[in-house]
């Protein structure tokens, strides 16, 4: 367990739903609970096994999620703006509608995911949001488009925080960021692919069968999402204690390694914390508010993603050529996401990595807004965009590293941080009005300030977490309860 997270072992009864006295445990059971050896061949084999099932599925699902939520920018420059006579304020309202519903419905969704099968729940969300996204092709004015985007936010709200909680229920603290970063590269891949796909569709399908290019874009990407969601539920595991294609020993090992790392097992033997109890626990923990502030700065900086085609257009590349010039921007994001998260996990330096990346991004944004040379602006925009996209996986996976137990509190904390953090997007989308073209000084300046704030806040938080550590549940007691539950289940089936 990393000393950076400063968890102190304590009694699991402090965070159980019922604070009754733990039963007497057979010494042989305690011996088995204490037999865990970190880094054993059995554990490595288990991690590889769950990697093969989890990572490709959540990556594919998030690729479709990001395509469906962000293709509005490509559609705008691909003919939507002209067809709807869309001004910058109306476009900002279209973006705003998604974020309002997204923020409202994240916490309720994560309250229930721990009681459901995540393989079915996350896949079903993808099927539904794909259908909603395809409906955007039927919009005939910006008001209808706004309403559909609001509905899209309702459905997609459960996905990102749900995946973060899902991963934190399978992986140890410093396995989490690297896996989450692979999942999060879907934003970069889908962003680059979206630009390529949008360029091809708007160039070659415009006018086919009476549909505009931007309509084909919504239809193709929406139907693709529903198609992917129909298959992932066959592959994905559920929770460590309930996944049937794991052997009993593998299920116990999965729970054991999480308990060793101070993480509560989802659907495990410790029982459930009530919904409102979990909500109260999160709101009464001062750590939650620091994470919310950090993530608000991160997501506020990230609203630039919805204006990348517009910013590229102001640098002189328009139409299909402009769509293709978005590809290097997302390629940079891909490299930054993977590189920073893997280094963070390898050396267990998450707070320091957040500070370094945010500091680098601050410098790049300052150069972008200070110069008038278009090629210099383009190069530093690419680098700054990479830094912006490296921060969400680092920041969001820091939440379960610190607020790790019980599982219901962890789920609510992740959702609340993600939801209220996303609220920064509500005003962030108004930072890039067309009246600020071509240099967009207010937008770049605000983003620079936010990145500088992230740089400093991460170190303040790291200091506070070291000074006031949480008390982690005792590993032996957690494991003894899981073993006794397994024995009771086996006796009941006999």
């Amino acid at each position: 367990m990393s000393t950076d997270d400063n968890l102190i072992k304590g009694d699991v009864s402090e965070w159980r739903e019922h604070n009754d006295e733990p039963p007497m445990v057979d010494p042989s059971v305690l011996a088995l609970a204490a037999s865990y050896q970190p880094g054993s061949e059995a554990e490595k084999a288990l991690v590889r096994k769950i990697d093969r099932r989890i990572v490709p599925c959540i990556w594919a699902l998030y690729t479709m999620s990001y395509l469906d939520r962000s293709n509005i920018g490509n559609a705008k420059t691909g003919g939507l703006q002209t067809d709807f006579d869309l001004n910058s304020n109306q476009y900002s309202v279209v973006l705003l509608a998604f974020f309002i519903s997204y923020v409202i419905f994240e916490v309720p969704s994560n309250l229930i995911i721990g009681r459901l099968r995540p393989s079915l729940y996350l896949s079903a969300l993808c099927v539904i949001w794909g259908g909603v996204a395809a409906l955007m092709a039927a919009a005939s004015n910006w008001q209808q488009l706004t309403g559909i985007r609001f509905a899209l936010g309702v459905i997609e709200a459960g996905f990102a925080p749900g995946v973060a909680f899902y991963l934190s229920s399978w992986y140890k603290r410093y396995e989490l960021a690297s896996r989450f970063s692979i999942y999060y590269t879907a934003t970069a891949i889908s962003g680059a692919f979206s630009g390529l796909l949008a360029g091809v569709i708007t160039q070659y399908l415009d006018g086919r069968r009476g549909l505009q290019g931007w309509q084909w874009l919504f239809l193709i990407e929406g139907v693709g999402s529903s198609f992917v969601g129909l298959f992932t539920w066959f592959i994905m595991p559920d929770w460590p204690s309930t996944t049937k294609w794991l052997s009993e020993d593998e299920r116990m090992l999965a729970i054991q390694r999480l308990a060793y790392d101070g993480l509560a097992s989802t659907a495990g033997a410790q029982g459930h914390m009530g919904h409102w109890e979990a909500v109260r626990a999160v709101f009464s923990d001062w750590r939650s508010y620091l994470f919310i502030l950090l993530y608000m700065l991160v997501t506020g900086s990230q609203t630039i993603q919805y204006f990348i085609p517009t910013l590229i257009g102001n640098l002189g590349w328009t139409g299909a050529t402009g769509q293709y010039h978005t590809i290097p921007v997302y390629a940079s994001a891909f490299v930054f996401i993977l590189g920073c998260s893997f280094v963070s996990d390898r050396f267990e330096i998450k707070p320091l990595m957040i500070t370094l990346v945010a500091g680098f991004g601050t410098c790049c944004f300052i150069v972008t807004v200070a110069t008038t040379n278009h090629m210099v602006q383009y190069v530093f925009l690419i680098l700054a965009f990479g830094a912006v996209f490296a921060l969400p996986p680092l920041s969001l996976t820091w939440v379960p590293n610190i607020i790790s137990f019980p599982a219901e509190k962890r789920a609510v904390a992740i959702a609340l941080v993600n939801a209220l953090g996303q609220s920064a997007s509500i005003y962030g989308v108004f930072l890039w009005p067309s009246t600020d073209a071509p240099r967009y000084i207010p937008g770049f300046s605000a983003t620079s300030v936010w990145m500088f704030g992230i740089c400093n806040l991460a170190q303040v938080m790291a200091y506070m977490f070291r000074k006031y550590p949480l008390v982690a549940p005792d590993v032996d007691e957690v494991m003894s309860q899981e073993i006794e539950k397994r024995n009771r289940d086996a006796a009941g089936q006999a």
Side-chain angles (χ1 to χ4, degrees), residues 77 204 279 286 336 340 357 473:
T77 57
Y204 295 106
V279 171
W286 56 268
F336 271 81
C340 295
V357 171

Side-chain angles (χ1 to χ4, degrees), residues 249-272:
D249 288 342
E250 287 174 327
R251 287 198 293 270
M252 291 306 300
L253 177 58
I255 297 167
Q256 196 174 31
R257 61 194 225 97
L258 294 178
Y260 177 85
D261 210 38
L263 290 164
S265 174
T266 306
Q270 291 76 50
H272 289 291

